[in-house]
Amino acid sequence: MTDVSIEPRTGGLPLDSLACPRCDGALDTAGTGLHCNGCNITFPVLGGVPWLFSEPNAALAEWRSRYQYTIERSNQDAVRARNEASAATRGSTRNRLTRLADARAAFAAELSSILEPLAGQPSDTAVETHLALKTRLPPGQGIDTYHANIHRDWCWGDEENQTSLDLVRAALPESPQNLLLLGAGAGRLAFDLHRTNPNQHTVALDINPLLVFIGANLAAGHPVALHEFPLAPKTATDVALPRVLENATPAAPGLHWVLGDAMRPPFQAGAFDALVTPWFVDIVDQDLATTAARINRLLEPQGCWVIFGSLAFGSPEYAQRYSLEESLEVIADAGFERPDVTETTIPYLCSPASRHGRREQVVTISAMKSREAEPIERHTTLPDWLVRSNLAVPLLSSFETQAISTRIYAFIMSMIDGKRSIAEMAKQMEEQQLMPKAEADAAIRNFLIKMYDESRSGMRY
Ligand SMILES: C[S@@+](CC[C@H](N)C(=O)[O-])C[C@H]1O[C@@H](n2cnc3c(N)ncnc32)[C@H](O)[C@@H]1O
């Protein structure tokens, strides 16, 4: 990267390091955003952070709906806790529930405030375009999926952060010039790495706007209010804690934030001499082999990749749930050599207000790019038959099974009239020759339990 004068649309990040996430072409400044001439699309800058999703409007609409969902859920929780508080007979229970109700309502307001940069943008959903590009946000990730990581980063003290910093720092070259963190979360590690080498460009990319806006605010020295809801509260007070995240020493210039999808990284090939993936490679819905090839492309020759965190691959394909030994082979196949591996047991997400906390045996792998990886296709998340309307939908075996269950569930639902019992419904199932009565009784009960549980827990992202 060459140094240029501060460009507000990139938060000071040199423009020549950025690339269009759709075509990898160069970006230019345009109005208040960044423009790709080849694709004729402008990427906005929200809250001072470039929004470099391949279909920016659709990503904005999706994140908006996810955060509005979280806000609604939080407000509903507040109402529910308040109702339960007024029905509670014990004073201590009433106090706890009132505290929880107040905190859930305050949390909704805090989210709205932090995510305010998303609110004012025009909504142009373009879901079809989004699908045509076969990109979408990971379906399982909500706006507050990594809520605990935020407080760990900026509120619970230094132990966990310092341990991570020491391990990653030791695995990196002494003074990288251009360092990228993919899946940087709320950004404490990026901030700390930048602090230890303030002359480098440090780029923190994440897909989640809540995390990135919080990181960017704190790095600039602006405090952020955000309630904590410990998993296993130690006391009644710990059920909900008003927290103010603070950072007294703003980051030196050169720490940059980017919102985007690491599977479509919006950077030029060879833009970085060091790259860290903290707690990342095993949580993305992408084979490690593909992730490694993408990372190879972003690094310059002899660039260093540091993998840090767990190797708990959750892929639906067993073949992609790699052991450490296999992971090292996969990395080597993607053009990296001389991997240096350390394994260390560290505390993980241990809130001082929670009885819950983990110890994880983390790996730190540092490997050098020794050759270019084989080119890989652009990331897609959906098969063609789901994107295009004119292709036959394949009769997958899972669809066949689902079709049978759906018919049975529909029949059960049609029998629910507020009068029939489980036994009466089971008798009808037997009469329709769908199932013997004894089996039907258990099947109907299980189905109703599932429906009942879902109605109580609500939908969760
Ligand atoms: C397990 S968390 C780790 C976060 C952070 N490194 C930490 O240690 O707290 C995984 C992170 O990856 C981010 N993430 C998930 N999928 C992503 C994607 N496709 N592109 C960029 N970030 C992604 C999540 O938002 C989350 O911040």
Side-chain angles (χ1 to χ4, degrees):
M1 286 181 212
T2 50
D3 232 323
V4 292
S5 56
I6 295 288
E7 163 51 64
R9 281 158 288 202
T10 63
L13 176 61
L15 201 54
D16 64 2
S17 66
L18 293 175
C20 171
R22 301 155 73 105
C23 72
D24 296 332
L27 292 179
D28 220 334
T29 51
T32 54
L34 297 165
H35 189 75
C36 171
N37 286 325
C39 300
N40 193 21
I41 187 164
T42 300
F43 301 94
V45 174
L46 304 180
V49 179
W51 182 266
L52 293 173
F53 290 93
S54 51
E55 180 46 54
N57 288 336
L60 187 54
E62 272 202 54
W63 272 124
R64 252 198 224 137
S65 86
R66 287 183 197 199
Y67 103 72
Q68 274 155 5
Y69 169 75
T70 306
I71 285 175
E72 270 163 38
R73 200 184 71 206
S74 204
N75 282 327
Q76 279 172 9
D77 286 349
V79 171
R80 185 171 146 191
R82 219 173 290 291
N83 289 342
E84 288 189 27
S86 48
T89 49
R90 202 173 289 114
S92 53
T93 304
R94 216 168 23 250
N95 289 345
R96 174 174 58 79
L97 291 172
T98 304
R99 181 179 180 85
L100 182 62
D102 291 346
R104 293 306 289 174
F107 174 63
E110 288 163 353
L111 282 186
S112 299
S113 160
I114 299 164
L115 292 165
E116 203 270 330
L118 301 194
Q121 298 303 310
S123 176
D124 176 5
T125 310
V127 171
E128 292 77 12
T129 324
H130 190 45
L131 287 181
L133 285 163
K134 294 191 261 185
T135 65
R136 58 179 181 152
L137 298 179
Q141 292 199 20
I143 201 84
D144 67 342
T145 300
Y146 294 105
H147 195 146
N149 299 46
I150 300 172
H151 290 98
R152 186 275 320 273
D153 274 14
W154 298 106
C155 169
W156 295 343
D158 283 338
E159 188 192 353
E160 286 190 38
N161 296 317
Q162 188 63 46
T163 311
S164 301
L165 174 65
D166 292 345
L167 288 167
V168 173
R169 195 53 275 160
L172 279 167
E174 201 166 323
S175 309
Q177 304 268 298
N178 298 303
L179 171 69
L180 172 64
L181 289 94
L182 290 178
R188 177 61 186 266
L189 181 62
F191 174 85
D192 284 343
L193 287 168
H194 191 69
R195 185 168 47 80
T196 57
N197 185 21
N199 293 326
Q200 71 195 14
H201 281 288
T202 308
V203 182
L205 175 139
D206 203 275
I207 202 167
N208 182 317
L210 177 68
L211 303 177
V212 172
F213 289 154
I214 287 177
N217 268 301
L218 284 156
H222 307 311
V224 175
L226 189 74
H227 271 77
E228 181 190 345
F229 300 94
L231 204 54
K234 282 186 181 161
T235 66
T237 311
D238 292 335
V239 71
L241 295 160
R243 299 284 204 195
V244 178
L245 316 175
E246 274 171 311
N247 162 44
T249 320
L255 173 58
H256 315 284
W257 305 88
V258 172
L259 273 156
D261 187 340
M263 306 214 211
R264 293 252 185 157
F267 304 107
Q268 295 292 344
F272 300 93
D273 58 347
L275 192 154
V276 182
T277 46
W279 298 92
F280 180 72
V281 291
D282 54 347
I283 64 104
V284 277
D285 184 15
Q286 176 176 259
D287 186 5
L288 177 64
T290 311
T291 305
R294 273 190 221 298
I295 283 166
N296 176 302
R297 180 187 158 274
L298 296 174
L299 283 168
E300 64 181 37
Q302 269 80 56
C304 171
W305 176 20
V306 174
I307 298 174
F308 175 66
S310 55
L311 286 182
F313 294 97
S315 167
E317 318 272 341
Y318 287 132
Q320 293 177 13
R321 297 187 190 177
Y322 301 112
S323 63
L324 174 58
E325 296 85 338
E326 289 166 280
S327 300
L328 295 176
E329 286 175 26
V330 170
I331 293 163
D333 289 346
F336 291 89
E337 68 174 27
R338 288 197 261 129
D340 188 57
V341 183
T342 57
E343 292 178 77
T344 322
T345 301
I346 64 169
Y348 186 66
L349 295 180
C350 299
S351 165
S354 178
R355 296 178 192 282
H356 173 90
R358 284 154 53 186
R359 289 189 74 73
E360 293 255 353
Q361 190 176 21
V362 294
V363 293
T364 313
I365 305 172
S366 164
M368 189 191 78
K369 171 171 167 175
S370 54
R371 61 175 168 80
E372 297 298 325
E374 296 297 318
I376 39 161
E377 295 202 342
R378 239 173 261 293
H379 173 68
T380 58
T381 53
L382 294 171
D384 276 350
W385 56 266
L386 263 171
V387 174
R388 293 168 49 193
S389 310
N390 58 349
L391 296 182
V393 177
L395 185 55
L396 305 177
S397 64
S398 57
F399 286 5
E400 282 183 293
T401 316
Q402 191 65 38
I404 296 167
S405 328
T406 306
R407 252 176 258 137
I408 294 177
Y409 292 155
F411 184 67
I412 298 174
M413 295 300 288
S414 73
M415 289 190 291
I416 301 175
D417 59 359
K419 296 181 193 130
R420 287 192 185 93
S421 65
I422 291 178
E424 285 164 334
M425 292 187 203
K427 191 156 168 275
Q428 286 211 9
M429 294 264 288
E430 187 170 53
E431 281 164 14
Q432 295 290 321
Q433 300 189 334
L434 287 168
M435 245 182 220
K437 183 175 174 308
E439 267 181 50
D441 199 282
I444 294 171
R445 180 171 288 100
N446 282 344
F447 173 66
L448 292 177
I449 288 172
K450 191 164 153 270
M451 298 257 298
Y452 176 69
D453 282 347
E454 275 171 16
S455 72
R456 283 162 60 89
S457 63
M459 186 177 92
R460 302 238 163 224
Y461 268 119

